[in-house]
Amino acid sequence: MGKYIAKRLLAALAVMAIVSFMTFSVLELIPGNAALIAAGTEGSATSVASIAAELGLNRGFLERVLLYYKDLLSFDLGVSSYFGENVSTLIGQRLGVTFSLAFFSVLLAFIFSVILGSAAALGRGRLIDALSRGVVQIFSSIPSFWLSLLFLILFSSVLHVVNVGDYVPPSVSIRGYLSSIILPVAVLAIGETGPLLRLVRASMIRVRNEDWYRIGKVRGISRMRLIMAYALRYALPGPLTLAGSELAKLLGGTAIVESIFALPGLGRLFLTAVEMRDIPLVEGIVIFVSFLVVLMNLVTDLVLFFSNPTMRKAGGIKL
Amino acid sequence: MKRVYSAALAVFLLSVFLVSCSKNISPEETQPVAPSSSSVRMAIAVDPDGLDPQMSASASTFQVTSSIYETLVTVDESGNIQPCLAESWKIADDGLSITFILREGAMFSDGDACDADAVVSSFSRLVSPVSVRSQDYSFISSVEAVDENTVHFEFSTLDVTALAKFAYPWSAIVDTEHEGSLRTEPVGSGPYMLSSWVPQQSLILERNPYYDGECGVDMIEFVVMSDMTSAVTAMRNGQLDIILITGDLVGLFEGDERFTIHALPTNGLQLMAMNNESEGLDDIRVRKAINYAVDKNALIEAVWWGYGEPIGSHFPVVLSEYADMNGKYPYDPDKARELLAEAGYGEGELNLRMFLPKNYQEYVNAGQVIADMLRNVGINVDIQIVEWATWLSDIYNGRNYDLTVVGHTGRLDAYSLLSRYRHDAAENYFNYENAEFDSLLDAYVRETDEMKRKEIAFRMEEILAEDVPALYIQDPIQIYVTDSDLEGFRTYPINIFRMDLLEYSYR
């Protein structure tokens, strides 16, 4: 088990190295740099040169990359060229927001999907099934920026139930925290519900046609017990894997929703970093997020392993 | 059942991780500020580019640093020089030196004296290569502290606009003892000091305990809101006291007694630059045709909802040296077609590439409207929307373009504003060349007679209006909405806010 985790983490290191080098190369190829942006249209040409020297941009590409990796070995992510703040501090400040949004929206979407998806599968062809298919269609087609604006206007402007642009960490006030994230979480959850719900429904329909499910029914196991104890456990690995990868996806990118709700999250930081050609910040976020993705995949595998015996018996994961 | 517990444990662990991560933002940094008589919340669209005024060229930096640092002199709303850190000053008769007498007892927010020595070391840093503005201050040959409160500057060349250069926010006096960390931990002698800054969330200023002047409010909070809808919603809910809005949103605040609308032209201008070396655009007849082809009033109405003053030359209407050049090329599409034919371009024979900076929606919109008007007179326009960094590198610095729409911020004098049109200036992205114009620029900085200097400025504006190296669109009107109980909010011809002048009327 420990060996398995160590192996996975080692693979993560390789992934991070490759991804970060690719990022360096892409940033090198696209036009513009941080010095040009800092000088803008009102600075003079000499200021571009002095800013470039200050940021170390006058060094060669390989030299810059190697210097970066050298610092990285001592866990130094460098200083953001745009904000002038340590990259690790900037990322740290945003973890709370991004984790909250990603975790709660996926959790909400997952719970909702399991309930509605199972109900739809069991009542296949009936009203509940039509309803769930309608939900899938509608939720998958709503653009998140539009829904965000709609929520913002309805709940903040018309009903005055939540405030905008006031992120309150849970350590200050749980109520303020929930009120500041509830709208974006709802928007993201709605976006996640479509694919999850479809998958849950499909898995449950498959279970319904399994022989052991029919036998269970014939043997007189109560319907509730049959669903909760057997069917769900058999049907959930697929949706769980999807939820895990969706979570990883959201950790790296909720930029649109964060921007509209004025939340200081990782996605918005990343967007700014790329626009401002802030190489240390882009690299820092890329390395951090790729680590998270690898970690999330590992956690998903572990959760699957513990929640479903067939995964172990079938040798899905060798621990 | 054990497995279920394990799964639950995994979820629980993740939650714990999550909550502990959330604590990374310490409470005092984000504690919501209870509305009190002495705090002002203002929405800003982007974070400052660091808080070291000598190391940035962004307006967003100076809007904040102008409350933290002091310049030797400052300006009022009409651009007249006013005392700030310096109580008084004397310019030598030959214009080649200037002596400032500093306010007694001025102190930095860390308690150190902001005296003549501090001014000298701040300026030594400003003119050194480390600062991004060293070029602008290269006319200073020496700066010395005569006594504790007197600073003497010597200039190597005559520059009649020198005094104004001590008012720009980038010339602010910084505490050089902290020079390595000023970007995130600014130390100045201004009315406020930085209390906390969480990028992309908020930046809070509190009173500088060592500042000896008056302040109407104790705390200024800049809230970073990149989305206009959120800012407007927050303002209408009473969560904000000052916001900047676009013309289409004025209706939301008009007639509501809770708000005051301040709509005034700024010291700035927006234009469509033309590459004077591109095929076609190197012919003045084509550039004139483009000017005839564009209906500026319709353009300003379509893009800025009419909030803008049309201009005919590279000069903001708010400056005293402004001359109205609007009459040169009135909207006349027939005349435009005629000039194009004269230059040898029939219907659909002239192809131009227009590059628009994606980050500035208004410039993108303006470009699209202009392109439509140009197509109307038979010019083919190929629009490409590029990222700001790409725009700066390929268009502005690389000069690989035909047409582009952009804005420029104003300066206090004609020389600083127009020197980018000098034929060899690195900032001359128009590739404009006019020998008479170059010599007028030189004459302007050496002319000590104010009336004659004004004449030179008028002539330079006229030449640009005549040669049209660009299509000059408008001097934008900025619309600020403030809480109607908040008094003292003004806009200035340079990028500063005077937060110390704000106060609540009813308290």
Side-chain angles (χ1 to χ4, degrees):
Chain A
M1 171 105 185
K3 206 170 150 197
Y4 171 74
I5 293 177
K7 224 157 88 188
R8 291 286 292 260
L9 290 179
L10 217 62
L13 272 182
V15 169
M16 287 189 286
I18 294 168
V19 168
S20 67
F21 186 76
M22 277 167 64
T23 310
F24 264 121
S25 312
V26 170
L27 285 173
E28 187 66 16
L29 290 175
I30 55 176
N33 63 48
L36 283 178
I37 289 178
T41 55
E42 307 303 324
S44 64
T46 43
S47 46
V48 176
S50 67
I51 299 169
E54 177 78 20
L55 297 175
L57 293 171
N58 49 353
R59 295 199 185 96
F61 173 66
L62 270 181
E63 193 186 346
R64 273 185 287 130
V65 174
L66 290 177
L67 278 174
Y68 182 81
Y69 283 133
K70 197 186 121 216
D71 288 343
L72 194 62
L73 285 181
S74 50
F75 295 100
D76 178 4
L77 288 173
V79 175
S80 152
S81 58
Y82 180 63
F83 294 109
E85 181 68 83
N86 281 330
V87 169
S88 46
T89 311
L90 286 168
I91 294 179
Q93 283 169 340
R94 278 155 179 77
L95 285 184
V97 175
T98 299
F99 271 113
S100 306
L101 292 189
F103 180 74
F104 286 119
S105 59
V106 169
L107 188 69
L108 214 66
F110 189 75
I111 294 172
F112 182 75
S113 300
V114 167
I115 295 172
L116 189 59
S118 315
L122 297 171
R124 198 172 167 200
R126 274 183 258 152
L127 182 67
I128 185 80
D129 192 23
L131 190 78
S132 96
R133 272 182 295 172
V135 166
V136 168
Q137 286 301 328
I138 294 167
F139 281 14
S140 314
S141 348
I142 296 178
S144 65
F145 75 91
W146 177 79
L147 191 65
S148 301
L149 289 175
L150 211 68
F151 274 15
L152 196 70
I153 292 167
L154 179 66
F155 292 104
S156 193
S157 243
V158 180
L159 300 176
H160 301 282
V161 282
V162 288
N163 285 342
V164 188
D166 268 328
Y167 174 69
V168 184
S171 46
V172 174
S173 147
I174 292 288
R175 197 157 165 254
Y177 166 72
L178 291 177
S179 139
S180 64
I181 64 163
I182 186 159
L183 290 186
V185 161
V187 169
L188 291 171
I190 284 176
E192 295 305 321
T193 298
L196 272 174
L197 180 52
R198 194 161 29 200
L199 197 61
V200 171
R201 179 177 170 272
S203 304
M204 285 299 279
I205 286 175
R206 212 182 60 226
V207 170
R208 247 184 65 152
N209 297 330
E210 292 279 345
D211 292 340
W212 59 258
Y213 183 82
R214 293 207 186 110
I215 292 168
K217 250 169 132 177
V218 170
R219 282 194 56 179
I221 300 175
S222 84
R223 191 179 159 91
M224 212 53 201
R225 187 171 147 70
L226 193 58
I227 295 168
M228 298 305 284
Y230 300 100
L232 270 182
R233 185 180 290 177
Y234 190 78
L236 283 192
L240 259 179
T241 315
L242 181 66
S245 64
E246 289 296 306
L247 188 59
K249 187 187 87 185
L250 289 184
L251 288 177
T254 55
I256 294 171
V257 172
E258 285 167 16
S259 291
I260 293 177
F261 290 101
L263 290 173
L266 212 52
R268 206 167 136 215
L269 186 70
F270 189 54
L271 197 69
T272 307
V274 173
E275 276 177 354
M276 294 300 155
R277 301 290 190 268
D278 189 339
I279 298 175
L281 190 51
V282 173
E283 285 293 339
I285 297 174
V286 162
I287 289 176
F288 180 73
V289 171
S290 39
F291 175 72
L292 278 186
V293 170
V294 176
L295 193 72
M296 274 320 301
N297 288 338
L298 181 61
V299 170
T300 312
D301 284 352
L302 293 180
V303 170
L304 284 183
F305 181 83
F306 287 117
S307 68
N308 190 325
T310 56
M311 293 297 284
R312 270 170 294 172
K313 302 267 159 66
I317 309 170
K318 298 246 189 302
L319 291 185
Chain B
M1 228 38 211
K2 201 171 146 201
R3 288 143 208 154
V4 177
Y5 288 138
S6 308
L9 185 70
V11 170
F12 172 73
L13 284 177
L14 204 65
S15 317
V16 170
F17 182 39
L18 201 156
V19 170
S20 56
C21 284
S22 310
K23 282 188 181 144
N24 278 335
I25 301 179
S26 66
E28 58 274 18
E29 276 174 354
T30 47
Q31 194 94 52
V33 183
S36 78
S37 62
S38 58
S39 94
V40 163
R41 282 166 61 99
M42 172 171 181
I44 51 175
V46 288
D47 279 279
D49 175 8
L51 294 171
D52 183 343
Q54 299 182 348
M55 301 280 285
S56 169
S58 308
S60 55
T61 294
F62 306 128
Q63 292 182 348
V64 176
T65 58
S66 55
S67 294
I68 300 175
Y69 303 92
E70 282 181 300
T71 40
L72 285 172
V73 292
T74 187
V75 294
D76 63 14
E77 300 114 275
S78 356
N80 302 312
I81 305 291
Q82 300 289 326
C84 192
L85 183 60
E87 269 176 349
S88 64
W89 53 89
K90 184 159 185 350
I91 305 172
D93 292 337
D94 61 1
L96 284 172
S97 70
I98 188 167
T99 307
F100 291 98
I101 311 292
L102 307 182
R103 189 177 75 231
E104 225 163 295
M107 281 168 125
F108 287 117
S109 56
D110 65 350
D112 288 351
C114 180
D115 55 9
D117 288 330
V119 172
V120 170
S121 59
S122 179
F123 268 91
S124 306
R125 181 168 180 258
L126 181 64
V127 301
S128 75
V130 66
S131 107
V132 308
R133 293 285 172 180
S134 55
Q135 181 82 348
D136 296 12
Y137 291 86
S138 57
F139 68 96
I140 297 177
S141 58
S142 80
V143 45
E144 59 170 329
V146 179
D147 61 41
E148 206 181 318
N149 291 317
T150 314
V151 188
H152 183 74
F153 288 83
E154 297 265 349
F155 307 145
S156 54
T157 51
L158 177 61
D159 183 347
V160 294
T161 66
L163 183 58
K165 292 210 161 84
F166 294 97
Y168 290 115
W170 46 82
S171 73
I173 308 307
V174 304
D175 189 350
T176 51
E177 279 177 27
H178 300 268
E179 65 174 329
S181 55
L182 290 172
R183 288 195 72 191
T184 48
E185 291 155 29
V187 180
S189 62
Y192 296 93
M193 56 188 243
L194 183 67
S195 160
S196 72
W197 178 20
V198 180
Q200 298 191 315
Q201 184 175 359
S202 71
L203 190 155
I204 299 173
L205 302 181
E206 61 189 15
R207 286 288 305 272
N208 169 4
Y210 297 99
Y211 181 72
D212 44 10
E214 293 286 317
C215 279
V217 290
D218 293 332
M219 189 187 270
I220 310 287
E221 185 176 358
F222 294 97
V223 187
V224 186
M225 294 184 134
S226 52
D227 188 81
M228 183 74 81
T229 312
S230 327
V232 166
T233 305
M235 184 75 190
R236 290 188 53 80
N237 284 354
Q239 289 166 253
L240 291 171
D241 303 303
I242 306 173
I243 58 167
L244 178 67
I245 59 165
T246 48
D248 54 330
L249 299 168
V250 171
L252 286 173
F253 297 97
E254 232 165 18
D256 191 331
E257 60 183 23
R258 293 178 296 156
F259 307 111
T260 308
I261 298 171
H262 310 255
L264 290 166
T266 52
N267 186 7
L269 60 116
Q270 289 155 347
L271 50 78
M272 179 181 73
M274 304 189 224
N275 186 345
N276 288 222
E277 279 176 8
S278 284
E279 199 218 315
L281 296 174
D282 52 359
D283 188 331
I284 189 169
R285 287 172 297 190
V286 173
R287 298 203 301 270
K288 281 183 181 174
I290 288 174
N291 271 268
Y292 277 119
V294 174
D295 182 349
K296 273 181 214 172
N297 289 320
L299 173 65
I300 295 169
E301 192 59 48
V303 178
W304 291 277
W305 300 276
Y307 285 91
E309 296 276 348
I311 49 172
S313 184
H314 192 107
F315 224 80
V317 302
V318 294
L319 297 180
S320 62
E321 287 167 331
Y322 168 77
D324 189 346
M325 295 290 161
N326 274 310
K328 289 270 188 230
Y329 307 106
Y331 175 54
D332 187 347
D334 293 330
K335 182 93 184 168
R337 282 190 202 97
E338 224 169 87
L339 279 167
L340 282 171
E342 228 176 87
Y345 295 102
E347 184 82 25
E349 281 176 12
L350 179 60
N351 299 303
L352 298 174
R353 298 164 302 151
M354 180 190 278
F355 294 88
L356 302 172
K358 190 184 88 183
N359 301 36
Y360 296 90
Q361 191 58 43
E362 51 182 324
Y363 302 153
V364 173
N365 296 350
Q368 284 165 339
V369 174
I370 294 171
D372 216 40
M373 292 172 173
L374 295 184
R375 285 183 194 120
N376 187 34
V377 298
I379 300 173
N380 297 325
V381 182
D382 171 31
I383 295 181
Q384 288 179 43
I385 296 174
V386 296
E387 229 196 330
W388 184 235
T390 310
W391 188 91
L392 284 170
S393 128
D394 295 357
I395 313 303
Y396 183 71
N397 286 290
R399 300 186 192 176
N400 178 17
Y401 76 105
D402 298 328
L403 306 171
T404 186
V405 179
V406 77
H408 286 288
T409 52
R411 298 291 170 82
L412 294 170
D413 65 273
Y415 181 82
S416 318
L417 185 65
L418 299 177
S419 58
R420 68 165 69 243
Y421 286 95
R422 195 190 286 276
H423 76 280
D424 57 354
E427 299 81 23
N428 179 8
Y429 65 111
F430 313 95
N431 285 318
Y432 177 66
E433 191 164 352
N434 182 320
E436 189 198 347
F437 188 89
D438 288 1
S439 63
L440 284 170
L441 272 174
D442 294 332
Y444 181 90
V445 278
R446 280 170 186 69
E447 181 56 67
T448 46
D449 184 303
E450 204 182 325
M451 282 319 289
K452 284 186 187 154
R453 202 160 66 226
K454 219 168 203 171
E455 287 303 318
I456 299 174
F458 288 164
R459 179 68 193 130
M460 288 196 285
E461 290 171 57
E462 198 178 4
I463 292 176
L464 291 180
E466 201 59 58
D467 286 354
V468 282
L471 166 78
Y472 301 104
I473 304 171
Q474 65 158 356
D475 181 338
I477 290 177
Q478 272 189 336
I479 313 160
Y480 281 98
V481 178
T482 61
D483 182 332
S484 52
D485 293 322
L486 191 64
E487 290 187 345
F489 181 81
R490 311 232 186 312
T491 53
Y492 297 87
I494 52 178
N495 262 315
I496 58 170
F497 284 122
R498 291 294 303 274
M499 295 304 188
D500 53 324
L501 300 182
L502 296 177
E503 58 183 337
Y504 284 99
S505 57
Y506 58 93
R507 283 150 181 160

